Amino acid sequence: KQEVTQIPAALSVPEGENLVLNCSFTDSAIYNLQWFRQDPGKGLTSLLLIQSSQREQTSGRLNASLDKSSGRSTLYIAASQPGDSATYLCAVFFYNQGGKLIFGQGTELSVKP
Amino acid sequence: NAGVTQTPKFRILKIGQSMTLQCTQDMNHNYMYWYRQDPGMGLKLIYYSVGAGITDKGEVPNGYNVSRSTTEDFPLRLELAAPSQTSVYFCASSYPIGQGFSYEQYFGPGTRLTVT
């Protein structure tokens, strides 16, 4: 069964810290991996998408990496701010899934002032 | 573009009632999806569609029905609502990027449903 796992489930850091969120997946046969942000009571906002042929993508203070062979992706957030507090979800588009994304459970990030 | 829109935003149903959650996208995306998200949990796929006239079951389809008569609309029907269907429902659509098979998903704002 193709699965996506995110560890830790929750993370609390002081403002200004650099941090890494982890995502692992069970099958290296993927088309792409997408990172989302979800604020409480809100929908999902796409942050970064990494295609299977890419190793990383960057947007502002965010950098996402992809290592298909080890089944891992990381989301690096530089100089964290209280406004970064949210739940971060990783989702993978596997081969043979008919266009379906498989989601991890998310990491709830809290950045303390 | 308005993106993916969902109505209603909130709804309270009594056990046994029925309702339709509406989802519309104006980006001409072929793929559309319905997910549910229970408190503290990730997203679970209910149904999805790869184009008008084509739908398929996801992970948790029981108690739901869908139709896709147009590219833009993908309504989700709840028949005989049960407390277990209390959840937040998200509609999404996706399009292919690049020259491969990568698809980027866009989400609607969600519908918060309570069944009592």
Side-chain angles (χ1 to χ4, degrees):
Chain A
K1 182 181 177 183
Q2 292 163 324
E3 294 181 338
V4 179
T5 304
Q6 292 184 249
I7 296 174
L11 180 64
S12 182
V13 300
E15 181 178 4
E17 267 201 13
N18 302 324
L19 61 100
V20 173
L21 305 180
N22 296 297
C23 172
S24 60
F25 45 95
T26 55
D27 187 344
S28 63
I30 72 170
Y31 289 121
N32 58 253
L33 183 146
Q34 198 168 350
W35 282 94
F36 294 87
R37 169 184 172 138
Q38 185 176 28
D39 293 291
K42 303 293 185 181
L44 279 71
T45 300
S46 180
L47 297 174
L48 290 165
L49 182 147
I50 310 177
Q51 298 182 62
S52 62
S53 59
Q54 298 172 329
R55 296 282 298 190
E56 65 177 357
Q57 285 286 335
T58 298
S59 176
R61 293 183 294 108
L62 304 180
N63 176 277
S65 68
L66 175 65
D67 184 343
K68 282 194 308 179
S69 61
S70 67
R72 294 183 182 178
S73 176
T74 61
L75 179 65
Y76 174 82
I77 303 177
S80 59
Q81 303 170 357
D84 294 330
S85 298
T87 296
Y88 291 81
L89 293 131
C90 165
V92 178
F93 185 12
F94 290 100
Y95 288 7
N96 303 322
Q97 282 291 334
K100 298 177 287 186
L101 278 182
I102 306 298
F103 279 82
Q105 302 279 53
T107 294
E108 185 176 356
L109 173 66
S110 176
V111 181
K112 304 294 187 184
Chain B
N1 287 348
V4 181
T5 57
Q6 293 183 238
T7 57
K9 293 184 179 178
F10 304 94
R11 184 71 185 268
I12 298 175
L13 281 181
K14 295 188 183 301
I15 294 172
Q17 287 185 324
S18 300
M19 75 164 295
T20 299
L21 282 65
Q22 301 292 344
C23 175
T24 300
Q25 54 92 9
D26 62 358
M27 298 173 284
N28 201 33
H29 291 174
N30 281 336
Y31 282 57
M32 295 188 74
Y33 312 79
W34 274 106
Y35 297 90
R36 60 176 287 173
Q37 185 179 38
D38 299 325
M41 305 292 285
L43 280 80
K44 294 186 177 180
L45 183 66
I46 305 171
Y47 271 95
Y48 70 105
S49 169
V50 301
I54 306 169
T55 62
D56 207 347
K57 297 178 181 178
E59 186 182 357
V60 289
N62 291 344
Y64 307 94
N65 278 300
V66 293
S67 60
R68 184 93 182 274
S69 57
T70 66
T71 299
E72 295 78 21
D73 300 308
F74 191 40
L76 178 70
R77 178 81 177 163
L78 278 72
E79 305 282 1
L80 299 175
S84 61
Q85 293 178 305
T86 293
S87 190
V88 181
Y89 292 83
F90 290 103
C91 179
S93 69
S94 68
Y95 77 105
I97 59 173
Q99 295 186 349
F101 294 93
S102 291
Y103 282 78
E104 183 165 11
Q105 279 208 354
Y106 291 84
F107 279 77
T111 294
R112 190 173 299 273
L113 176 67
T114 301
V115 182
T116 61

